[in-house]
C-alpha cells in the first residue's frame, strides 16, 4: 500500500463497523464526551460543512472570502456556492470572511485577530479533553473525518454557540442519508470516474446513512489509541520539524514536513506518493518546499523507527 498525506479507508473495517447501528446522535454525544467547549454537528463532508456555515452567515456573491494559498479545489468550490473566494496570505481590507487552514495539523488560525473566519482543522488530530475553542476566536471549526480517523465519509462542524449547532443540525436532517451517494463513495475508492457526480450530489444532501454513522462511531471509539500512537511518532521526529512545535500541543499533525537532505533518504525508504509540497512557516511567513513524511495510522511506529535509523 502506498502512503499519502492522510490515512486510507479500509473497506473490511467499514463492513465490520456497520453492525454497530449508531446514528448521528450517538456520534455527537461521543464527541461531547471526548471534548469540551463546543457543540459538534455531523455532516457528510468537511467541504459541505464550509458551504453550510457560509450560507448560515448570510454571505452573498458580492462578498469576499479569503482562502489560503494552494487551497484544494473542494475549498474553492465550497466557498464559491455563496460568495467569492480570493487567495491571499495578508489581510485584505474589503474581506467579509476568511478560511484559515491549519495545514496538516500545525496551528495557524490562532494568529488571527479577526472573528470572521472558519477554523479549517480538516486534518488536525486533537487530543482528548481539549477545549475545542481554547486558542481560536472563530465561531466554527471544521474537521474532515476521513483525514483524521480514516472513515469512509463524514465531517464535523464544531460550533461555539448552541444556536448555530441547532440551526445546522436542522438543516442537515431535513434530508435522509443517501445510499446512492454511499455506493458512489465506495466505487470512488477504486476509480475516480464518478467523482464529478458524487461532488455535485453531496452539496444537495448533507446527511449520512446509518451505515456511515456506525462506521464513524466505531472508529471514534479507538480515538485514544490513535492519539497515543501519533504522540509517539511525533516524539521521534521533533528535530526534523522546520517550525517550532511543542510536544505538549493539543494538535497532532499527520505528517512531518522534511526539508533539504532528508528528501533523498525519504524517497529511498518510504513507499509514498505525497510528492514535494508547500508548507507555510508561520514564524517566517514564507512557504517552504517540503517532503511530507506520513506519521498517521497507515504507517507503523516500527517502520518509522527503521526510517529514522
Amino acid at each position: 500500500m502506498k502512503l499519502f498525506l492522510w490515512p486510507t479507508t479500509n473497506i473490511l473495517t467499514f463492513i465490520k463497523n456497520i453492525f454497530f447501528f449508531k446514528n448521528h446522535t450517538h456520534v455527537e454525544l461521543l464527541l461531547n464526551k471526548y471534548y469540551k467547549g463546543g457543540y459538534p454537528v455531523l455532516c457528510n463532508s468537511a467541504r459541505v460543512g464550509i458551504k453550510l456555515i457560509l450560507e448560515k452567515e448570510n454571505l452573498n456573491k458580492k462578498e469576499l472570502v479569503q482562502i489560503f494559498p494552494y487551497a484544494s479545489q473542494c475549498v474553492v468550490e465550497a466557498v464559491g456556492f455563496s460568495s467569492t473566494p480570493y487567495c491571499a496570505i495578508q489581510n485584505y481590507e474589503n474581506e467579509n470572511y476568511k478560511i484559515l487552514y491549519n495545514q496538516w495539523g500545525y496551528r495557524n488560525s490562532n494568529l488571527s485577530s479577526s472573528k470572521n473566519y472558519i477554523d479549517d482543522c480538516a486534518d488536525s488530530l486533537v487530543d482528548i479533553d481539549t477545549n475545542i475553542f481554547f486558542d481560536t476566536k472563530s465561531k466554527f471549526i471544521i474537521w474532515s473525518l476521513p483525514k483524521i480517523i480514516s472513515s469512509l465519509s463524514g465531517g464535523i462542524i464544531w460550533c461555539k454557540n448552541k444556536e448555530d449547532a441547532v440551526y445546522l443540525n436542522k438543516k442537515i436532517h431535513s434530508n435522509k442519508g443517501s445510499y446512492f451517494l454511499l455506493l458512489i463513495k465506495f466505487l470512488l475508492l477504486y476509480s475516480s470516474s464518478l467523482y464529478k457526480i458524487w461532488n455535485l450530489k453531496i452539496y444537495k444532501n448533507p446527511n449520512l446513512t446509518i451505515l456511515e454513522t456506525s462506521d464513524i462511531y466505531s472508529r471514534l471509539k479507538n480515538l485514544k489509541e490513535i492519539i497515543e500512537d501519533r504522540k509517539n511518532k511525533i516524539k521521534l521526529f521533533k528535530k526534523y520539524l522546520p517550525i517550532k512545535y511543542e510536544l505538549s500541543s493539543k494538535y497532532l499533525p499527520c505528517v512531518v514536513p522534511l526539508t533539504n537532505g532528508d528528501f533523498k533518504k525519504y524517497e529511498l525508504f518510504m513507499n509514498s506518493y505525497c510528492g514535494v509540497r508547500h508548507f507555510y512557516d508561520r514564524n517566517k511567513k514564507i512557504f517552504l518546499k517540503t517532503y511530507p513524511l506520513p506519521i498517521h495510522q497507515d504507517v507503523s511506529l516500527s517502520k518509522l523507527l527503521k526510517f529514522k535509523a
Side-chain angles (χ1 to χ4, degrees):
M1 177 183 68
K2 282 198 170 186
L3 297 172
F4 194 49
L5 296 167
W6 309 290
T8 54
T9 302
N10 185 300
I11 292 302
L12 293 178
T13 303
F14 177 88
I15 294 171
K16 181 186 70 174
N17 289 345
I18 63 177
F19 296 104
F20 274 76
F21 298 111
K22 300 293 184 179
N23 60 27
H24 74 280
T25 303
H26 294 106
V27 172
E28 290 165 2
L29 286 173
L30 184 59
L31 287 169
N32 273 323
K33 181 180 177 182
Y34 286 157
Y35 302 103
K36 52 195 174 184
Y39 302 90
V41 178
L42 179 65
C43 63
N44 62 353
S45 172
R47 67 185 74 181
V48 175
I50 291 173
K51 174 180 178 286
L52 291 171
I53 292 169
L54 294 178
E55 287 176 347
K56 197 263 167 206
E57 296 290 275
N58 295 316
L59 269 68
N60 60 55
K61 282 290 186 179
K62 293 181 180 180
E63 295 177 302
L64 297 173
V65 172
Q66 179 184 329
I67 59 175
F68 43 92
Y70 307 103
S72 61
Q73 185 61 31
C74 65
V75 172
V76 177
E77 287 176 357
V79 172
F81 273 101
S82 57
S83 54
T84 300
Y86 79 96
C87 181
I89 300 176
Q90 302 299 326
N91 290 341
Y92 184 69
E93 61 181 2
N94 293 324
E95 73 176 6
N96 298 99
Y97 223 84
K98 67 176 73 174
I99 296 179
L100 288 175
Y101 179 39
N102 301 284
Q103 187 178 9
W104 304 329
Y106 298 95
R107 296 295 287 163
N108 283 317
S109 59
N110 56 358
L111 298 178
S112 177
S113 59
S114 170
K115 294 182 180 180
N116 294 325
Y117 68 93
I118 296 173
D119 202 344
D120 186 347
C121 297
D123 45 13
S124 298
L125 178 63
V126 183
D127 204 359
I128 286 175
D129 291 330
T130 299
N131 184 324
I132 288 296
F133 289 92
F134 82 99
D135 69 342
T136 179
K137 296 181 178 68
S138 174
K139 295 191 298 181
F140 301 102
I141 296 172
I142 288 287
W143 286 2
S144 174
L145 293 178
K147 293 178 180 179
I148 297 172
I149 59 171
S150 68
S151 57
L152 183 65
S153 49
I156 297 294
I157 308 169
W158 282 99
C159 303
K160 182 175 283 186
N161 302 319
K162 188 176 181 179
E163 315 86 74
D164 293 332
V166 171
Y167 172 88
L168 291 169
N169 243 320
K170 186 176 180 180
K171 183 87 172 176
I172 291 165
H173 295 287
S174 62
N175 301 279
K176 289 186 177 180
S178 169
Y179 286 95
F180 174 68
L181 278 174
L182 173 58
L183 174 61
I184 294 178
K185 186 69 174 178
F186 259 121
L187 296 175
L188 283 174
L189 295 175
Y190 305 99
S191 172
S192 60
S193 60
L194 296 172
Y195 176 80
K196 287 185 178 179
I197 297 174
W198 174 80
N199 193 48
L200 180 65
K201 296 284 187 182
I202 56 166
Y203 289 106
K204 296 180 179 179
N205 185 351
N207 208 346
L208 291 167
T209 67
I210 194 167
L211 301 184
E212 292 164 289
T213 56
S214 297
D215 176 53
I216 291 167
Y217 180 88
S218 177
R219 294 177 193 271
L220 284 173
K221 290 290 285 184
N222 297 320
L223 193 59
K224 291 180 181 179
E225 289 76 13
I226 295 172
I227 288 170
E228 191 59 34
D229 176 67
R230 189 74 57 87
K231 286 180 177 179
N232 290 331
K233 293 170 181 173
I234 292 170
K235 287 177 185 178
L236 278 178
F237 292 96
K238 184 175 184 289
K239 72 174 185 178
Y240 286 83
L241 295 175
I243 60 169
K244 184 179 179 181
Y245 178 84
E246 301 297 333
L247 289 175
S248 60
S249 173
K250 299 290 186 180
Y251 291 83
L252 310 173
C254 56
V255 302
V256 174
L258 303 178
T259 57
N260 302 326
D262 300 317
F263 282 177
K264 199 64 181 176
K265 183 179 178 182
Y266 175 91
E267 289 176 311
L268 290 171
F269 186 80
M270 303 297 286
N271 185 22
S272 168
Y273 63 106
C274 297
V276 176
R277 304 271 173 154
H278 288 89
F279 177 78
Y280 184 61
D281 185 327
R282 54 178 280 180
N283 299 318
K284 297 178 181 178
K285 296 184 179 180
I286 59 172
F287 281 90
L288 305 173
K289 284 188 176 181
T290 65
Y291 213 113
L293 170 68
I295 56 172
H296 51 63
Q297 298 93 300
D298 284 359
V299 57
S300 66
L301 182 61
S302 59
K303 187 174 182 69
L304 289 170
L305 282 167
K306 291 178 182 177
F307 169 75
K308 190 180 178 186

